[in-house]
Amino acid sequence: MVQGGRIDRGAPLNFRFDGRRYQGYLGDTLASALIANGVHLIGRSFKYHRPRGFLAAGAEEPNALVDVDRGGGRTAPNLRATQVELYEGLVANSQNRWPSLSFDIGEINDLVPAGLFSAGFYYKTFMAPVSAWKTIYEPFIRRAAGLGVAPTAPDPDHYAQQYAFSDVLIVGAGATGLAAALAAGQTGKRVILADEQAEMGGGLLDEVDATVDGQSARAWVAATLQQLKTMANVTLLARTQAFGYYAQNFVGLAERVTEHVVAPDARAPRERLWKVRAKQVVLATGAIERPLVFPDNDRPGVMLASAARTYLNRYGAKSGKKAVMFTADDTGYTAALDLHKAGIRIVAIADIRRAPEGPGLALAKATGLPIQFATAVSGVSGRARVTGASLCALGADGSTISGPSVRCDLVLMAGGWTPAVHLFSQSRGKLTFDALRQIYVPGVSAQNERSAGACNGVFDLAAALAEGHTVGAAAVGAPTERAFVVSDATAPSGGFHGAVPHPRDPQKVKAFVDFQNDVTAKDIKLAVREGMRSIEHVKRYTTTGMATDQGKTSNMNGLAIAAAALDKAIPEVGLTSFRSPFTPVTFGTLAGHSRGDLFDPIRRTPMHAKAKALGAMFEDVGQWKRAWYFPKAGESIHAAVNREGLAVRKDAGIFDATTLGKIEVVGPDAVEFMERLYTNPWAKLGVGRCRYGLMLNEAGFVIDDGVVGRMANDRFHVTTTTGGAPRVLAHMEDYLQTEFPDLKVWLTSTTEQWAVVAVQGPKAREILAPLVEGIDLSAVAMPHMSLREGKICGVPTRLFRVSFTGELGFEVNVPADHGPAIWQAIYEAGQPHGLTPYGTETMHVLRAEKGYIIVGQETDGTVTPSDLALDWAIGKNKRDFVGKRSLRRLDLIAPNRKQLVGLLTDDPATVLEEGAQITAEATPVKGTQALGHVTSAYWSATLGRSIALAIVAGGRARMGETLHAPMASGPIAVRVVEPIFFDPDGVRINA
């Protein structure tokens, strides 16, 4: 059209599709620009590779999936052409075709005998020969599967993420959403209004005759948006799709920030993920027009009536020259009238209803449009574009009579409207079936949510505006009502569900229900014949409503066809689950800045540089870089570890323990919280004392351990394993928020706040004493498992007397910024005493000599405290704690459970391999179940021999037995011993 629409004809834009040049205008989408250029063949269908054109004009579009290439690695497949905004130089390509869109060799799938590619064919084929699966079938299927081609080059763009909190989040900026935002915004509350389209206004932008409060619909939209823009408390987010509604009113929004910009600022993100937590959510997501299921309803040129109206009125693009309107709803007449006014010839209006009524029908009659009642479209002619349509008459008894064929290049479907309840369903709200209108509408909300307008089944414009205002006001606690004066707006009335009757052989035609997944009416009927009774089973057998489409245009028709085949009412066959995302979200948006080094950040302790200067070799422990060992010139790892271990046992060692997780548990109910989360008792633990803490999951299995110090009556300093810190904090938060919300407790991760220098060995006290202020380090004043607060070198410290080596030991906690200086001071003070830096490998050897476990090494997720001989860590008089009841299960107290033991090889020089299986026989028969496995194995320089820890079935009853570790080089005989190899009486640790 040379005029009309909302595009800017003063700003022409050049673009390419499949290598050909076209021109559109600012404000166009790729879809509207292609239609304006007469391009209707946009892609090929998923399974049959049938030619496909535009069905819709919005997010519900199933066919027009394209690949957009911005160059330099900026390739995005599977974008809906209806949502791709036109910009200068845009390059787009069709998908799922070879060698070209017009000639696709894959279309041979559409010509194979009927039934070969029917629903569930993949369950019945490719069965033999078995050897062909890996060599022929699977490679072929994987090449054929999927739509589009995933980009291989790194994405050069960046993506942002933002948390937002609002009193009200309103999803959808059509008439209802705008009314709700205005009502809520006027109260001064924080309001976020999000809409997936580039321009807010929804369906009102398609209206050319309707008025609201005396203004044209478009003028009312402009005025309302202007009001909202003046409100500082209102955030307007266009181009922003609400894709997921999660627990506690947490909603995910994906904003397209620069996708429509020719040369975006390099500093601007391509997309932004909004993580919104709202006190109240208002869903004003509108409704989706249903297609009509008739033979060949997927040909290019067959589209929804509302889509043709949108392309015409919003974008000034005619979808055809001669149109057939196939309708079951009054809005079909409104669309036909708009197209007629624009010069598109309406060659027939086929109304499936026998005696419809309504203002649209009356106006169409008065205009002289050709109308036939009780008439259906029974098929179309044309392959790459519709060239005609066949009509049939519908008898009152359900019979069909073939009618005339008419020449046309456009067939429009107006099958009625389905409320867009996807987000409501995601929120776990319960849907209600409206039997009169045969639609599902929101019922009982599961969260602080309100649905309004068409998504709530309110289709009348005046009523939808009023409901939007009422709901928006109520959401902010200021309930008011307002009436809107509306004229010349047609409300949906009528509708049809299921397969349209026709006189053709249903086994020889394809009437599509799900356009994106190539599911036909006969596929759904076949699923029922194959025994599928629940719609969820039908969905999986046929794939209808799956993947990115999520049943937007197919769901209700699929339900109706299945219900008819089962001779049941629609609600009796159930309803499929609508899953997030509502529309696809890019990996970049979800990942945000978490890519490259930021995906798995490298964490270094404050003393990292100090360790590096001392020649440390580092290993990765979780995300941390930890000093592994400190080799001297020419030393191997084994020589270095031997030297470091002997130094700790003889003099003292210095170790960076910063990476241990640290959590501050504070509050008047801190003691009760600790009692419930850990196996140990805490109520009688004195301030300034420490205790080994053992944490279980609900199944009674060990998930973490660590030393806990009581800083005050209402405060605990909790340490965790290095890798377990995030998991333990999440575990604590989960229970605090969901199981123990009555407890007044605050949890704070302090891992990064404290640098920890461990000083271990007989001379540890002698080294630290001169540096410490205000703390008596004597054995009487500060016994093992105690803590004190004071200063070291003038810096505040939490000083713990704890040990993971079995030696006299202290852990000096100081603010992280002071860590390097305190490390250096201790290191220099210790040199006259033989202080030696040691790493994690030596730490492992030292703790194994003492039989100390490491969670994740001596445990595998199925180990109980009793298995580890840690029954002493369970409070015998405790009423309850997480996992207590599970510890009484018979299988968890069976005497043959795998238990922690020590192992000594007959040959002291032989070091077992960690993970080696332990068996009763030296050469067990193949298939014999192992008794257990080696969890830790080292050479102990202190003991002058190898040692190992293992978990072995009935281990404690096997003391002194000889077992075996079958290896490729031959079996290794081992003797079962107690798991404590050094200083079993703990004399050294209590020095």
Side-chain angles (χ1 to χ4, degrees), residues 620-851:
D620 295 325
V621 181
Q623 293 180 328
W624 291 97
K625 289 288 186 183
R626 298 196 71 180
W628 189 13
Y629 62 101
F630 292 80
K632 292 187 176 181
E635 265 189 338
S636 68
I637 179 175
H638 303 293
V641 169
N642 291 342
R643 174 180 51 77
E644 292 169 12
L646 291 172
V648 173
R649 295 288 185 217
K650 178 178 178 292
D651 298 311
I654 183 171
F655 177 75
D656 185 353
T658 301
T659 64
L660 289 176
K662 293 172 278 292
I663 301 170
E664 203 88 351
V665 179
V666 184
D669 295 322
V671 174
E672 179 62 22
F673 179 74
M674 294 293 293
E675 291 279 353
R676 297 182 188 183
L677 263 292
Y678 282 87
T679 64
N680 320 65
W682 301 97
K684 295 182 180 179
L685 182 68
V687 174
R689 297 294 295 181
C690 302
R691 181 161 290 163
Y692 172 76
L694 197 61
M695 179 177 281
L696 311 182
N697 59 18
E698 290 181 343
F701 299 132
V702 176
I703 60 172
D704 204 77
D705 69 346
V707 173
V708 178
R710 191 164 190 175
M711 307 303 302
N713 288 329
D714 62 350
R715 182 183 296 267
F716 290 88
H717 178 113
V718 178
T719 65
T720 74
T721 55
T722 292
R727 182 180 66 250
V728 171
L729 181 61
H731 180 77
M732 287 181 165
E733 285 284 7
D734 183 24
Y735 274 90
L736 182 60
Q737 294 183 31
T738 62
E739 303 297 329
F740 314 140
D742 56 308
L743 298 184
K744 295 181 179 178
V745 176
W746 293 268
L747 306 174
T748 305
S749 172
T750 58
T751 301
E752 291 83 2
Q753 275 60 52
W754 295 103
V756 183
V757 182
V759 183
Q760 306 279 307
K763 297 181 180 179
R765 182 184 291 117
E766 194 176 345
I767 293 169
L768 286 177
L771 307 178
V772 173
E773 306 166 29
I775 302 175
D776 184 349
L777 300 185
S778 67
V780 174
M782 193 175 182
H784 179 57
M785 297 300 278
S786 62
L787 69 91
R788 300 290 184 267
E789 291 188 276
K791 290 185 177 182
I792 181 169
C793 301
V795 175
T797 182
R798 288 181 177 179
L799 183 63
F800 289 71
R801 183 176 169 187
V802 294
S803 174
F804 199 47
T805 62
E807 297 292 337
L808 167 65
F810 298 88
E811 290 186 1
V812 181
N813 289 250
V814 294
D817 289 349
H818 295 280
I822 298 304
W823 168 282
Q824 188 65 30
I826 295 173
Y827 178 76
E828 292 176 358
Q831 291 311 293
H833 304 280
L835 181 67
T836 300
Y838 68 97
T840 55
E841 189 66 19
T842 301
M843 176 267 290
H844 281 288
V845 176
L846 297 174
R847 65 90 194 171
E849 291 171 350
K850 285 293 294 179

Side-chain angles (χ1 to χ4, degrees), residues 181-527:
L182 195 58
Q186 288 171 338
T187 67
K189 299 288 187 178
R190 292 174 299 174
V191 176
I192 295 176
L193 176 62
D195 191 273
E196 60 95 9
Q197 298 190 39
E199 187 178 11
M200 292 185 171
L204 291 182
L205 300 179
D206 301 336
E207 298 293 339
V208 291
D209 298 319
T211 65
V212 178
D213 288 346
Q215 304 177 79
S216 71
R218 294 173 176 177
W220 182 85
V221 168
T224 303
L225 286 173
Q226 186 57 41
Q227 277 187 273
L228 293 172
K229 288 175 182 177
T230 63
M231 300 177 184
N233 57 305
V234 176
T235 300
L236 301 178
L237 296 177
R239 301 184 177 91
T240 304
Q241 178 72 67
F243 63 84
Y245 194 150
Y246 307 100
Q248 299 175 329
N249 268 20
F250 186 72
V251 181
L253 310 177
E255 180 187 7
R256 306 183 302 275
V257 181
T258 59
E259 285 288 278
H260 60 292
V261 180
V262 180
D265 187 329
R267 296 169 297 178
R270 183 172 179 175
E271 296 180 0
R272 178 181 289 112
L273 175 65
W274 290 79
K275 304 175 184 181
V276 180
R277 186 82 68 181
K279 291 181 180 178
Q280 297 284 335
V281 172
V282 173
L283 297 179
T285 49
I288 297 171
E289 191 168 29
R290 285 191 303 279
L292 289 160
V293 182
F294 60 87
D296 296 325
N297 61 338
D298 67 322
R299 293 301 189 192
V302 180
M303 68 169 57
L304 297 172
S306 60
R309 189 166 181 251
T310 296
Y311 290 127
L312 179 71
N313 293 339
R314 193 180 307 187
Y315 300 108
K318 293 181 181 180
S319 299
K321 297 178 180 178
K322 294 189 294 184
V324 169
M325 175 65 68
F326 184 16
T327 184
D329 186 88
D330 289 0
T331 55
Y333 290 98
T334 303
L337 287 164
D338 281 0
L339 269 61
H340 171 72
K341 291 177 185 176
I344 297 173
R345 181 185 171 195
I346 307 298
V347 297
I349 297 179
D351 195 324
I352 201 169
R353 299 170 294 177
R354 306 199 69 80
E357 296 179 352
L361 170 59
L363 187 54
K365 283 183 176 180
T367 305
L369 299 183
I371 304 170
Q372 299 178 48
F373 301 125
T375 301
V377 173
S378 59
V380 301
S381 57
R383 190 182 71 86
R385 177 70 188 275
V386 167
T387 59
S390 300
L391 306 180
C392 67
L394 307 177
D397 59 354
S399 62
T400 57
I401 304 171
S402 295
S405 295
V406 295
R407 302 293 296 174
C408 64
D409 59 2
L410 182 63
V411 176
L412 303 177
M413 301 177 289
W417 295 79
T418 300
V421 295
H422 298 69
L423 290 176
F424 176 83
S425 182
Q426 290 177 22
S427 76
R428 300 302 179 189
K430 299 299 181 183
L431 293 169
T432 301
F433 188 70
D434 185 329
L436 180 63
R437 297 185 291 174
Q438 296 283 288
I439 57 175
Y440 279 98
V441 294
V444 179
S445 296
Q447 303 192 45
N448 293 329
E449 174 276 337
R450 293 168 167 84
S451 294
C455 73
N456 197 37
V458 178
F459 296 130
D460 178 76
L461 179 55
L465 285 162
E467 184 174 52
H469 177 90
T470 299
V471 165
V476 292
T480 59
E481 294 185 358
R482 176 186 169 187
F484 292 80
V485 180
V486 172
S487 67
D488 296 320
T490 302
S493 177
F496 182 86
H497 300 79
V500 173
H502 59 81
R504 302 170 66 183
D505 184 348
Q507 296 305 313
K508 294 183 179 180
V509 298
K510 293 183 176 75
F512 287 89
V513 176
D514 186 318
F515 295 83
Q516 188 168 99
N517 295 299
D518 264 359
V519 180
T520 65
K522 62 184 177 185
D523 288 332
I524 294 176
K525 294 174 184 176
L526 174 63

